[in-house]
Amino acid sequence: MTGLRVTLVSALIALVALWGAACSDEIPTQADGPVVSAPTPDTQFRESADAAGLSYVQFEARPPGDCLFDNISRPTEEERQGTLCDAERMTGGAAAGDFDGDGAIDLIVTRMDGHDLLFRNRGDGEFEEVSESAGLSRWELASNGAAWGDIDNDGDLDLFVTTVGDTRHYLFVNEDGVFSEEGVARGAAVDTGDRRIGFSATFGDYDLDGYLDLHVTEWRPSQLVGEAVAGVRLLRNLGPERPGHFEDVTESAGVGMDQVVSQTQNELTEGTFAFGSTFVDLDDDGWPDLAVASDFGTSRLFWNNGDGTFSDGTLDARVGTAQNAMGTTFGDYDADGDLDWFVTSVFSFRTGSPGSGEQGLRDGNRLFRNDGDRRFSDTTDAAGVRNGSWGWGAAFFDADNDGDLDLTMTNGMEMMPGFDADATRYWENDGSGRFRSRNTDVGLDDIEDGKGLLVFDADNDGDLDVFVVNNASEPLFYRNQSRDVGGWLRLSLEGVTSNRQGLGAKVSVFADGLPEQIRQAGVSSHFLGQSEDALHFGLAGSGTADIVIRWPASGLVTTLNDVPANSWIRVTEGASGFETINPRR
């Protein structure tokens, strides 16, 4: 795009005008989806960030023309004053993980103008900030995405964070709860000499060698930052030879995204625009595929060929149609035995000139139902989940323990007119794969500028809580206080031949009166957020459950019968039985 100099805001405004042409065959008949009967459980969330000790400000926003860093090239003073600090207004990450191995899920949050904050869970859902003692406080980074992963199979979680405006990313290696930064030494820094605009990161063992690999996303418009090495990278763990060290295999593996062509629009902007990615086996062949949610119609689904390479199957799979894919989450929402893909995007009303009659709903989220044979169907409108306003983080989770997956997402974009005050979405699954909007009813109704989102059981009471990072503001911690909900089962994995966390394992749970529930370990990376790696199942009224685990690297199958409800258990690859986890309180 020679000579093109526009701000991102101008490009996005132009994109809104293009929605009608791109989506004219996908106008839903109603915004909120089909009406279903009211659920029996009394699902309720209470905002408790201050009470839980999770008070902080992600960063202090600055006015246009005074960004925290000059990561966007502007040839004239007029253009510099016109920018709204585009990249900064899309930041705000967090990741849940038990970094100290005490059975309570901790939380790392990223910040743009101060060191990241590590909140240690005291065991009862209240937190203390321990960044200094953990060795993180001296790193004053403009950090954004975060992901936990045991990169060296030593039994503790290491930490990777992406940056915005820095020339590299950072890898913190965990040694008995104290972290040392080793990103460059271990080949994980994506250090090309150019300023990075990093977003989400995800871990997974794509080559099944028993060690976690890393995929890093970046949003990088070339007309704003110039031509540079793309920061969307696949980093392969060197495994037994050098555990926890990485090599860049992006191009040789066939997952480069610097030449991706938009599926939804004509020439508008150039660059790489990946916001979130996940290693997830969507065709059930045992090999983790790579799904990438990416802006401007450039999302991609790469099928794993089983030989260290991938093939782009986006078009044949009929996915990637969202104009502005940001958040991403996977789950079997329709209980048919395979994982489906929900992607957040931007929803808007288009209004034509007075009397023209040109008014309707445009674009919005996408829910891709897995039909098998590497094909998907767009069931967004049938499920009733299109309208999420300007969407970002999202997660499937069973909020009421009734055995089906509900869905939540955060939204907001203060830089754009009309998108700065819209409620967080919560859709309750009616058991048939249709959703009812209940965000106001259940208390998930803030109108903040949300970005990263994750779910975890912070207080070990058997239901999942929700954490939302608000851009340039304080977070929201929604403690789940639902009543009359069902029993539950939590499952943690310990790999032996497979990676230590068991990421990639496929778990089926069978309970009386419920369809088979499936989960895939490690499919917990969302936009700038990572939910806990423990697998949570609602059991409704059943007192026991049977479990089948298929381990990724070894192919071993573990079967457990009559596991009692309301238990958190750990299962080790190749061993019989299970260990009950009793978190410290």
Side-chain angles (χ1 to χ4, degrees):
M1 229 179 328
T2 59
L4 179 59
R5 288 287 179 181
V6 294
T7 66
L8 173 65
V9 174
S10 299
L12 289 175
I13 292 173
L15 181 58
V16 172
L18 291 175
W19 278 337
C23 304
S24 59
D25 61 338
E26 298 186 44
I27 301 176
T29 57
Q30 53 182 344
D32 292 329
V35 176
V36 298
S37 59
T40 300
D42 182 10
T43 308
Q44 289 294 320
F45 292 87
R46 179 170 62 86
E47 205 291 305
S48 306
D50 289 344
L54 295 172
S55 299
Y56 72 98
V57 175
Q58 189 245 343
F59 79 101
E60 296 290 344
R62 301 189 183 191
D66 185 27
C67 296
L68 286 173
F69 50 86
D70 181 20
N71 76 297
I72 298 179
S73 302
R74 305 290 187 185
T76 69
E77 179 65 22
E78 180 180 0
E79 284 184 313
R80 283 193 293 273
Q81 292 299 320
T83 181
L84 293 177
C85 306
D86 303 331
E88 294 174 19
R89 301 307 299 171
M90 299 188 288
T91 62
D98 181 8
F99 86 94
D100 54 2
D102 65 355
I105 306 300
D106 312 300
L107 196 64
I108 184 76
V109 301
T110 63
R111 296 197 296 174
M112 293 291 294
D113 56 2
H115 66 79
D116 295 341
L117 300 176
L118 178 58
F119 290 101
R120 177 177 177 269
N121 192 329
R122 293 173 175 167
D124 57 1
E126 295 186 4
F127 296 82
E128 58 181 335
E129 203 273 298
V130 296
S131 303
E132 183 173 359
S133 61
L136 296 174
S137 62
R138 72 184 187 90
W139 296 94
E140 299 280 336
L141 307 175
S143 55
N144 193 17
W148 295 106
D150 185 354
I151 62 171
D152 46 13
N153 286 345
D154 66 349
D156 54 32
L157 295 178
D158 308 297
L159 175 65
F160 183 83
V161 297
T162 67
T163 63
V164 176
D166 202 332
T167 59
R168 51 161 296 197
H169 303 315
Y170 292 79
L171 175 64
F172 296 94
V173 177
N174 188 345
E175 293 292 341
D176 298 322
V178 179
F179 294 86
S180 60
E181 203 290 311
E182 301 181 28
V184 172
R186 289 177 178 259
V190 193
D191 186 8
T192 66
D194 306 301
R195 287 194 172 185
R196 305 264 60 90
I197 308 181
F199 276 80
S200 310
T202 187
F203 285 104
D205 182 12
Y206 81 91
D207 54 0
L208 298 184
D209 67 349
Y211 290 83
L212 294 182
D213 311 300
L214 175 63
H215 188 259
V216 186
T217 64
E218 183 171 42
W219 180 90
R220 189 181 188 85
S222 60
Q223 81 272 23
L224 299 184
V225 297
E227 297 295 335
V229 175
V232 182
R233 313 310 294 171
L234 175 60
L235 306 178
R236 176 183 172 271
N237 196 321
L238 295 178
E241 300 173 4
R242 299 185 69 195
H245 292 73
F246 297 85
E247 62 175 342
D248 190 329
V249 296
T250 309
E251 307 307 330
S252 61
V255 294
M257 293 193 66
D258 53 335
Q259 300 296 325
V260 168
V261 177
S262 171
Q263 289 194 61
T264 63
Q265 62 195 67
N266 296 322
E267 185 180 59
L268 178 64
T269 189
E270 292 179 348
T272 56
F273 307 103
F275 275 132
S277 60
T278 308
F279 290 107
V280 51
D281 182 8
L282 291 172
D283 55 2
D284 202 31
D285 66 351
W287 293 92
D289 309 302
L290 180 62
V292 185
S294 188
D295 210 355
F296 299 115
T298 59
S299 295
R300 283 298 179 269
L301 175 54
F302 296 103
W303 296 113
N304 193 328
N305 296 324
D307 59 1
T309 69
F310 294 79
S311 298
D312 187 344
T314 312
L315 290 176
D316 288 342
R318 302 178 296 192
V319 295
T321 59
Q323 286 278 17
N324 302 100
M326 287 108 165
T328 176
T329 185
F330 292 87
D332 184 14
Y333 83 95
D334 55 356
D336 67 347
D338 50 31
L339 295 181
D340 311 295
W341 188 10
F342 177 77
V343 175
T344 64
S345 186
V346 183
F347 175 92
S348 177
F349 288 94
R350 181 192 67 169
T351 303
S353 58
S356 68
E358 294 185 14
Q359 180 173 332
L361 312 180
R362 287 297 183 266
D363 198 41
N365 305 322
R366 291 294 192 276
L367 177 57
F368 299 112
R369 184 186 65 204
N370 193 334
D371 295 330
D373 296 325
R374 294 187 170 184
R375 298 292 294 271
F376 292 78
S377 297
D378 187 332
T379 57
T380 311
D381 298 325
V385 293
R386 182 178 292 272
N387 182 357
S389 191
W390 197 296
W392 297 101
F396 280 118
F397 72 125
D398 188 350
D400 49 12
N401 289 342
D402 65 351
D404 55 40
L405 290 178
D406 310 301
L407 178 62
T408 188
M409 64 171 285
T410 188
N411 53 37
M413 194 61 165
E414 291 187 359
M415 69 159 62
M416 294 294 288
F419 290 96
D420 58 345
D422 207 349
T424 293
R425 298 296 196 266
Y426 171 76
W427 289 290
E428 193 162 64
N429 195 329
D430 73 347
S432 69
R434 296 185 303 165
F435 293 86
R436 180 186 183 187
S437 179
R438 295 198 64 217
N439 43 282
T440 300
D441 295 347
V442 304
L444 291 172
D445 57 356
D446 69 273
I447 56 172
E448 301 294 328
D449 192 10
K451 293 299 179 288
L453 177 148
L454 58 87
V455 298
F456 69 126
D457 188 355
D459 45 12
N460 293 311
D461 64 349
D463 52 36
L464 291 172
D465 311 298
V466 178
F467 185 80
V468 180
V469 181
N470 290 316
N471 182 265
S473 186
E474 297 180 349
L476 295 164
F477 172 51
Y478 288 107
R479 196 182 296 278
N480 193 332
Q481 296 189 319
S482 302
R483 296 175 297 177
D484 301 322
V485 298
W488 51 273
L489 180 67
R490 282 163 59 79
L491 176 65
S492 291
L493 302 175
E494 184 171 312
V496 177
T497 301
S498 303
N499 64 86
R500 185 66 174 264
Q501 288 176 263
L503 302 191
K506 300 175 183 178
V507 180
S508 296
V509 166
F510 303 87
D512 291 342
L514 297 175
E516 175 188 0
Q517 297 181 64
I518 67 165
R519 303 282 190 273
Q520 196 170 127
V523 185
S524 56
S525 296
H526 319 299
F527 174 78
L528 299 181
Q530 183 190 46
S531 297
E532 64 179 8
D533 60 6
L535 304 178
H536 181 100
F537 299 85
L539 299 184
S542 180
T544 62
D546 298 333
I547 303 173
V548 177
I549 304 167
R550 289 185 290 166
W551 296 90
S554 66
L556 292 175
V557 176
T558 300
T559 301
L560 303 171
N561 295 317
D562 297 322
V563 178
N566 304 330
S567 300
W568 184 3
I569 67 171
R570 178 182 290 110
V571 181
T572 300
E573 183 177 17
S576 59
F578 59 86
E579 171 192 359
T580 299
I581 298 176
N582 296 304
R584 170 188 50 79
R585 284 187 177 271

